[in-house]
Amino acid sequence: METYSLDSTKGNPGLFAIKRMEQLYEDAQGKADHPHRHAYYTVIWAIEGSGSHRIDFKTYPLSGNAVFFVSPGQVHQLIATSRPKGYVITFSKEFLQQNHISEDFINEINLFNNFENRPPIFLDSKTANLLQQLVDNMAEVAHAVPQHQIAAQSAYLKLFFIYCEASCNKSELETETPSRGKYILREFKKLIEAEFKTLHKVSDYADRMHLTPRYLNQVVKSILGHTAKELIQEKLILNAKRELWYSEKSVKEIAIELGFDDPLYFSSFFKNCTGLAPSEFRESGR
């Protein structure tokens, strides 16, 4: 399975790009791309369209004014059954760093989610009009103020996310969660993202965060309704599924890659979490 990277050699020093879905559709002659993953963030705003968008193992309709957020490493495939209208915005972690946009901001807005399902958000007409102005500005500054192009585009991108977040329906639990709890959850997720192949126990993460396992679990469960252990397992299972479904690696290779010394234990772990043995899950996708 291919992993796409942004090209920093063709007039794109800031590792940021905005393209029209219409043009991408025509360039591909209407053919769907293969399932693939990106080494960068992707935002797909389908203003008009029909078809489907698969992100990891969830399929969503490609309908009007839907905005999809795809994190680095997630596998996705867009299948348009007619010529779509909209935008594809891509940017890298380097772009965030260069423009002083903290990854904590990306995590806090909770639009990109590499753990749980991240369904698209659907825009009302007012928000859609605001976003249209922003993407127009993003495209315009490349020509109008080239010396400040990257800084201007990053400012508009941040506003784009703020407006998108405002149109999400926040649960009462989310809005009432104390800031310390949100901070702990955010740092826990960041640590899982970085260390899930080497750290499998809640106690390992709690030690790194200078917390007790019990307190870490209480915080995670109070916000998400899931235990800290379940969050770690969810990350491991998601990555195991990606490799089983989209790669030709053996079960043993996948087990070792995910930090399991014993492939038999990995198979048992996978079956306990999914109800299927790794080989059975792989066959279901053939």
Side-chain angles (χ1 to χ4, degrees), residues 21 32-33 44 49-55 58-63 68 76-82:
M21 291 184 73
D33 53 12
I44 300 173
S50 60
S52 61
H53 187 200
R54 185 171 191 178
I55 305 176
K58 289 287 185 179
T59 301
Y60 305 100
L62 190 67
S63 55
F68 300 88
H76 82 125
Q77 180 185 31
L78 193 147
I79 301 173
T81 54
S82 62

PDB file of all heavy atoms in Angstrom, residues 21 32-33 44 49-55 58-63 68 76-82:
ATOM      1  N   MET A  21     -11.424  19.783  -6.242  1.00  0.00           N
ATOM      2  CA  MET A  21     -11.805  18.399  -6.468  1.00  0.00           C
ATOM      3  C   MET A  21     -12.134  18.157  -7.938  1.00  0.00           C
ATOM      4  O   MET A  21     -11.877  17.076  -8.473  1.00  0.00           O
ATOM      5  CB  MET A  21     -13.012  18.029  -5.601  1.00  0.00           C
ATOM      6  CG  MET A  21     -12.727  17.968  -4.117  1.00  0.00           C
ATOM      7  SD  MET A  21     -14.165  17.408  -3.148  1.00  0.00           S
ATOM      8  CE  MET A  21     -14.195  15.656  -3.581  1.00  0.00           C
ATOM      9  N   ALA A  32     -11.286   6.076  -9.587  1.00  0.00           N
ATOM     10  CA  ALA A  32     -11.047   6.145  -8.137  1.00  0.00           C
ATOM     11  C   ALA A  32      -9.607   5.772  -7.828  1.00  0.00           C
ATOM     12  O   ALA A  32      -9.000   4.936  -8.517  1.00  0.00           O
ATOM     13  CB  ALA A  32     -11.998   5.202  -7.411  1.00  0.00           C
ATOM     14  N   ASP A  33      -9.047   6.411  -6.817  1.00  0.00           N
ATOM     15  CA  ASP A  33      -7.700   6.028  -6.409  1.00  0.00           C
ATOM     16  C   ASP A  33      -7.752   4.735  -5.602  1.00  0.00           C
ATOM     17  O   ASP A  33      -8.818   4.286  -5.176  1.00  0.00           O
ATOM     18  CB  ASP A  33      -7.039   7.141  -5.592  1.00  0.00           C
ATOM     19  CG  ASP A  33      -7.891   7.602  -4.418  1.00  0.00           C
ATOM     20  OD1 ASP A  33      -8.884   6.922  -4.105  1.00  0.00           O
ATOM     21  OD2 ASP A  33      -7.562   8.634  -3.818  1.00  0.00           O
ATOM     22  N   ILE A  44     -10.932  17.248   3.141  1.00  0.00           N
ATOM     23  CA  ILE A  44     -11.705  17.161   1.904  1.00  0.00           C
ATOM     24  C   ILE A  44     -13.065  17.800   2.151  1.00  0.00           C
ATOM     25  O   ILE A  44     -13.848  17.296   2.967  1.00  0.00           O
ATOM     26  CB  ILE A  44     -11.873  15.706   1.434  1.00  0.00           C
ATOM     27  CG1 ILE A  44     -10.497  15.069   1.187  1.00  0.00           C
ATOM     28  CG2 ILE A  44     -12.731  15.636   0.170  1.00  0.00           C
ATOM     29  CD1 ILE A  44     -10.553  13.586   0.878  1.00  0.00           C
ATOM     30  N   GLY A  49     -21.418  16.387  -4.691  1.00  0.00           N
ATOM     31  CA  GLY A  49     -20.815  15.128  -5.111  1.00  0.00           C
ATOM     32  C   GLY A  49     -21.688  13.936  -4.802  1.00  0.00           C
ATOM     33  O   GLY A  49     -22.676  14.033  -4.074  1.00  0.00           O
ATOM     34  N   SER A  50     -21.296  12.819  -5.360  1.00  0.00           N
ATOM     35  CA  SER A  50     -21.956  11.543  -5.076  1.00  0.00           C
ATOM     36  C   SER A  50     -20.888  10.466  -5.091  1.00  0.00           C
ATOM     37  O   SER A  50     -19.875  10.578  -5.786  1.00  0.00           O
ATOM     38  CB  SER A  50     -23.033  11.240  -6.124  1.00  0.00           C
ATOM     39  OG  SER A  50     -22.460  11.157  -7.429  1.00  0.00           O
ATOM     40  N   GLY A  51     -21.101   9.457  -4.310  1.00  0.00           N
ATOM     41  CA  GLY A  51     -20.120   8.396  -4.190  1.00  0.00           C
ATOM     42  C   GLY A  51     -19.869   8.085  -2.732  1.00  0.00           C
ATOM     43  O   GLY A  51     -20.786   8.201  -1.898  1.00  0.00           O
ATOM     44  N   SER A  52     -18.646   7.725  -2.394  1.00  0.00           N
ATOM     45  CA  SER A  52     -18.348   7.349  -1.016  1.00  0.00           C
ATOM     46  C   SER A  52     -16.904   7.694  -0.681  1.00  0.00           C
ATOM     47  O   SER A  52     -16.059   7.865  -1.558  1.00  0.00           O
ATOM     48  CB  SER A  52     -18.580   5.853  -0.803  1.00  0.00           C
ATOM     49  OG  SER A  52     -17.724   5.088  -1.644  1.00  0.00           O
ATOM     50  N   HIS A  53     -16.652   7.793   0.605  1.00  0.00           N
ATOM     51  CA  HIS A  53     -15.302   8.045   1.113  1.00  0.00           C
ATOM     52  C   HIS A  53     -15.065   7.069   2.252  1.00  0.00           C
ATOM     53  O   HIS A  53     -15.768   7.097   3.260  1.00  0.00           O
ATOM     54  CB  HIS A  53     -15.167   9.484   1.602  1.00  0.00           C
ATOM     55  CG  HIS A  53     -13.773   9.845   1.988  1.00  0.00           C
ATOM     56  ND1 HIS A  53     -13.470  10.909   2.804  1.00  0.00           N
ATOM     57  CD2 HIS A  53     -12.569   9.272   1.676  1.00  0.00           C
ATOM     58  CE1 HIS A  53     -12.158  10.984   2.966  1.00  0.00           C
ATOM     59  NE2 HIS A  53     -11.599  10.010   2.298  1.00  0.00           N
ATOM     60  N   ARG A  54     -14.085   6.202   2.068  1.00  0.00           N
ATOM     61  CA  ARG A  54     -13.769   5.213   3.096  1.00  0.00           C
ATOM     62  C   ARG A  54     -12.544   5.667   3.865  1.00  0.00           C
ATOM     63  O   ARG A  54     -11.513   5.976   3.267  1.00  0.00           O
ATOM     64  CB  ARG A  54     -13.508   3.843   2.473  1.00  0.00           C
ATOM     65  CG  ARG A  54     -13.287   2.760   3.528  1.00  0.00           C
ATOM     66  CD  ARG A  54     -13.233   1.383   2.941  1.00  0.00           C
ATOM     67  NE  ARG A  54     -13.292   0.382   3.998  1.00  0.00           N
ATOM     68  CZ  ARG A  54     -13.296  -0.926   3.777  1.00  0.00           C
ATOM     69  NH1 ARG A  54     -13.257  -1.383   2.549  1.00  0.00           N
ATOM     70  NH2 ARG A  54     -13.342  -1.775   4.789  1.00  0.00           N
ATOM     71  N   ILE A  55     -12.669   5.729   5.184  1.00  0.00           N
ATOM     72  CA  ILE A  55     -11.547   6.081   6.064  1.00  0.00           C
ATOM     73  C   ILE A  55     -11.351   4.914   7.023  1.00  0.00           C
ATOM     74  O   ILE A  55     -12.228   4.609   7.833  1.00  0.00           O
ATOM     75  CB  ILE A  55     -11.818   7.384   6.837  1.00  0.00           C
ATOM     76  CG1 ILE A  55     -12.153   8.529   5.876  1.00  0.00           C
ATOM     77  CG2 ILE A  55     -10.622   7.746   7.698  1.00  0.00           C
ATOM     78  CD1 ILE A  55     -12.525   9.831   6.571  1.00  0.00           C
ATOM     79  N   LYS A  58     -14.493   2.500   7.916  1.00  0.00           N
ATOM     80  CA  LYS A  58     -15.812   3.112   7.896  1.00  0.00           C
ATOM     81  C   LYS A  58     -16.024   3.774   6.538  1.00  0.00           C
ATOM     82  O   LYS A  58     -15.124   4.432   6.010  1.00  0.00           O
ATOM     83  CB  LYS A  58     -15.956   4.162   9.004  1.00  0.00           C
ATOM     84  CG  LYS A  58     -16.034   3.583  10.403  1.00  0.00           C
ATOM     85  CD  LYS A  58     -17.390   2.914  10.643  1.00  0.00           C
ATOM     86  CE  LYS A  58     -17.516   2.435  12.078  1.00  0.00           C
ATOM     87  NZ  LYS A  58     -18.821   1.815  12.349  1.00  0.00           N
ATOM     88  N   THR A  59     -17.216   3.604   5.972  1.00  0.00           N
ATOM     89  CA  THR A  59     -17.537   4.210   4.690  1.00  0.00           C
ATOM     90  C   THR A  59     -18.631   5.254   4.885  1.00  0.00           C
ATOM     91  O   THR A  59     -19.655   4.989   5.515  1.00  0.00           O
ATOM     92  CB  THR A  59     -18.013   3.147   3.672  1.00  0.00           C
ATOM     93  OG1 THR A  59     -16.969   2.176   3.505  1.00  0.00           O
ATOM     94  CG2 THR A  59     -18.315   3.786   2.320  1.00  0.00           C
ATOM     95  N   TYR A  60     -18.394   6.454   4.341  1.00  0.00           N
ATOM     96  CA  TYR A  60     -19.323   7.565   4.478  1.00  0.00           C
ATOM     97  C   TYR A  60     -19.769   8.030   3.094  1.00  0.00           C
ATOM     98  O   TYR A  60     -18.985   7.983   2.137  1.00  0.00           O
ATOM     99  CB  TYR A  60     -18.653   8.741   5.204  1.00  0.00           C
ATOM    100  CG  TYR A  60     -18.064   8.381   6.539  1.00  0.00           C
ATOM    101  CD1 TYR A  60     -16.697   8.148   6.681  1.00  0.00           C
ATOM    102  CD2 TYR A  60     -18.868   8.274   7.671  1.00  0.00           C
ATOM    103  CE1 TYR A  60     -16.152   7.818   7.910  1.00  0.00           C
ATOM    104  CE2 TYR A  60     -18.325   7.943   8.905  1.00  0.00           C
ATOM    105  CZ  TYR A  60     -16.970   7.713   9.019  1.00  0.00           C
ATOM    106  OH  TYR A  60     -16.431   7.385  10.234  1.00  0.00           O
ATOM    107  N   PRO A  61     -21.008   8.494   2.966  1.00  0.00           N
ATOM    108  CA  PRO A  61     -21.453   9.010   1.659  1.00  0.00           C
ATOM    109  C   PRO A  61     -20.755  10.316   1.317  1.00  0.00           C
ATOM    110  O   PRO A  61     -20.478  11.136   2.200  1.00  0.00           O
ATOM    111  CB  PRO A  61     -22.956   9.223   1.864  1.00  0.00           C
ATOM    112  CG  PRO A  61     -23.124   9.388   3.344  1.00  0.00           C
ATOM    113  CD  PRO A  61     -22.076   8.540   3.981  1.00  0.00           C
ATOM    114  N   LEU A  62     -20.460  10.483   0.047  1.00  0.00           N
ATOM    115  CA  LEU A  62     -19.833  11.718  -0.432  1.00  0.00           C
ATOM    116  C   LEU A  62     -20.960  12.658  -0.849  1.00  0.00           C
ATOM    117  O   LEU A  62     -21.384  12.679  -1.991  1.00  0.00           O
ATOM    118  CB  LEU A  62     -18.922  11.410  -1.619  1.00  0.00           C
ATOM    119  CG  LEU A  62     -18.003  12.529  -2.106  1.00  0.00           C
ATOM    120  CD1 LEU A  62     -16.955  12.844  -1.057  1.00  0.00           C
ATOM    121  CD2 LEU A  62     -17.341  12.125  -3.418  1.00  0.00           C
ATOM    122  N   SER A  63     -21.454  13.423   0.109  1.00  0.00           N
ATOM    123  CA  SER A  63     -22.629  14.255  -0.147  1.00  0.00           C
ATOM    124  C   SER A  63     -22.305  15.723   0.070  1.00  0.00           C
ATOM    125  O   SER A  63     -21.213  16.076   0.499  1.00  0.00           O
ATOM    126  CB  SER A  63     -23.783  13.826   0.763  1.00  0.00           C
ATOM    127  OG  SER A  63     -23.397  13.850   2.115  1.00  0.00           O
ATOM    128  N   PHE A  68     -14.413  16.189   5.439  1.00  0.00           N
ATOM    129  CA  PHE A  68     -13.733  15.021   5.989  1.00  0.00           C
ATOM    130  C   PHE A  68     -12.339  15.430   6.465  1.00  0.00           C
ATOM    131  O   PHE A  68     -11.652  16.224   5.815  1.00  0.00           O
ATOM    132  CB  PHE A  68     -13.583  13.934   4.923  1.00  0.00           C
ATOM    133  CG  PHE A  68     -14.877  13.431   4.358  1.00  0.00           C
ATOM    134  CD1 PHE A  68     -15.455  14.061   3.262  1.00  0.00           C
ATOM    135  CD2 PHE A  68     -15.518  12.334   4.903  1.00  0.00           C
ATOM    136  CE1 PHE A  68     -16.644  13.600   2.721  1.00  0.00           C
ATOM    137  CE2 PHE A  68     -16.708  11.860   4.367  1.00  0.00           C
ATOM    138  CZ  PHE A  68     -17.276  12.501   3.282  1.00  0.00           C
ATOM    139  N   HIS A  76      -7.299   5.705   3.436  1.00  0.00           N
ATOM    140  CA  HIS A  76      -8.575   6.186   2.912  1.00  0.00           C
ATOM    141  C   HIS A  76      -8.651   5.986   1.410  1.00  0.00           C
ATOM    142  O   HIS A  76      -7.638   5.780   0.725  1.00  0.00           O
ATOM    143  CB  HIS A  76      -8.824   7.650   3.306  1.00  0.00           C
ATOM    144  CG  HIS A  76      -8.156   8.661   2.434  1.00  0.00           C
ATOM    145  ND1 HIS A  76      -8.851   9.684   1.805  1.00  0.00           N
ATOM    146  CD2 HIS A  76      -6.873   8.820   2.069  1.00  0.00           C
ATOM    147  CE1 HIS A  76      -8.009  10.426   1.110  1.00  0.00           C
ATOM    148  NE2 HIS A  76      -6.807   9.933   1.261  1.00  0.00           N
ATOM    149  N   GLN A  77      -9.875   6.034   0.911  1.00  0.00           N
ATOM    150  CA  GLN A  77     -10.140   5.893  -0.522  1.00  0.00           C
ATOM    151  C   GLN A  77     -11.404   6.672  -0.849  1.00  0.00           C
ATOM    152  O   GLN A  77     -12.443   6.473  -0.220  1.00  0.00           O
ATOM    153  CB  GLN A  77     -10.322   4.422  -0.908  1.00  0.00           C
ATOM    154  CG  GLN A  77     -10.603   4.209  -2.390  1.00  0.00           C
ATOM    155  CD  GLN A  77     -10.908   2.760  -2.724  1.00  0.00           C
ATOM    156  OE1 GLN A  77     -11.458   2.035  -1.883  1.00  0.00           O
ATOM    157  NE2 GLN A  77     -10.586   2.333  -3.926  1.00  0.00           N
ATOM    158  N   LEU A  78     -11.304   7.559  -1.807  1.00  0.00           N
ATOM    159  CA  LEU A  78     -12.453   8.352  -2.233  1.00  0.00           C
ATOM    160  C   LEU A  78     -12.941   7.838  -3.584  1.00  0.00           C
ATOM    161  O   LEU A  78     -12.147   7.736  -4.535  1.00  0.00           O
ATOM    162  CB  LEU A  78     -12.074   9.832  -2.326  1.00  0.00           C
ATOM    163  CG  LEU A  78     -13.244  10.828  -2.457  1.00  0.00           C
ATOM    164  CD1 LEU A  78     -12.902  12.140  -1.766  1.00  0.00           C
ATOM    165  CD2 LEU A  78     -13.553  11.094  -3.930  1.00  0.00           C
ATOM    166  N   ILE A  79     -14.211   7.509  -3.656  1.00  0.00           N
ATOM    167  CA  ILE A  79     -14.806   7.019  -4.903  1.00  0.00           C
ATOM    168  C   ILE A  79     -15.932   7.973  -5.292  1.00  0.00           C
ATOM    169  O   ILE A  79     -16.990   8.000  -4.655  1.00  0.00           O
ATOM    170  CB  ILE A  79     -15.353   5.586  -4.737  1.00  0.00           C
ATOM    171  CG1 ILE A  79     -14.227   4.634  -4.310  1.00  0.00           C
ATOM    172  CG2 ILE A  79     -15.991   5.110  -6.036  1.00  0.00           C
ATOM    173  CD1 ILE A  79     -14.711   3.242  -3.961  1.00  0.00           C
ATOM    174  N   ALA A  80     -15.694   8.785  -6.326  1.00  0.00           N
ATOM    175  CA  ALA A  80     -16.704   9.733  -6.804  1.00  0.00           C
ATOM    176  C   ALA A  80     -17.409   9.131  -8.016  1.00  0.00           C
ATOM    177  O   ALA A  80     -16.760   8.753  -8.991  1.00  0.00           O
ATOM    178  CB  ALA A  80     -16.045  11.058  -7.179  1.00  0.00           C
ATOM    179  N   THR A  81     -18.729   9.026  -7.943  1.00  0.00           N
ATOM    180  CA  THR A  81     -19.493   8.458  -9.058  1.00  0.00           C
ATOM    181  C   THR A  81     -19.936   9.520 -10.052  1.00  0.00           C
ATOM    182  O   THR A  81     -20.534   9.205 -11.069  1.00  0.00           O
ATOM    183  CB  THR A  81     -20.716   7.695  -8.522  1.00  0.00           C
ATOM    184  OG1 THR A  81     -21.482   8.564  -7.680  1.00  0.00           O
ATOM    185  CG2 THR A  81     -20.282   6.486  -7.697  1.00  0.00           C
ATOM    186  N   SER A  82     -19.666  10.771  -9.740  1.00  0.00           N
ATOM    187  CA  SER A  82     -19.913  11.877 -10.665  1.00  0.00           C
ATOM    188  C   SER A  82     -18.878  12.957 -10.375  1.00  0.00           C
ATOM    189  O   SER A  82     -18.184  12.898  -9.355  1.00  0.00           O
ATOM    190  CB  SER A  82     -21.333  12.437 -10.514  1.00  0.00           C
ATOM    191  OG  SER A  82     -21.526  12.960  -9.215  1.00  0.00           O
TER     192      SER A  82
END
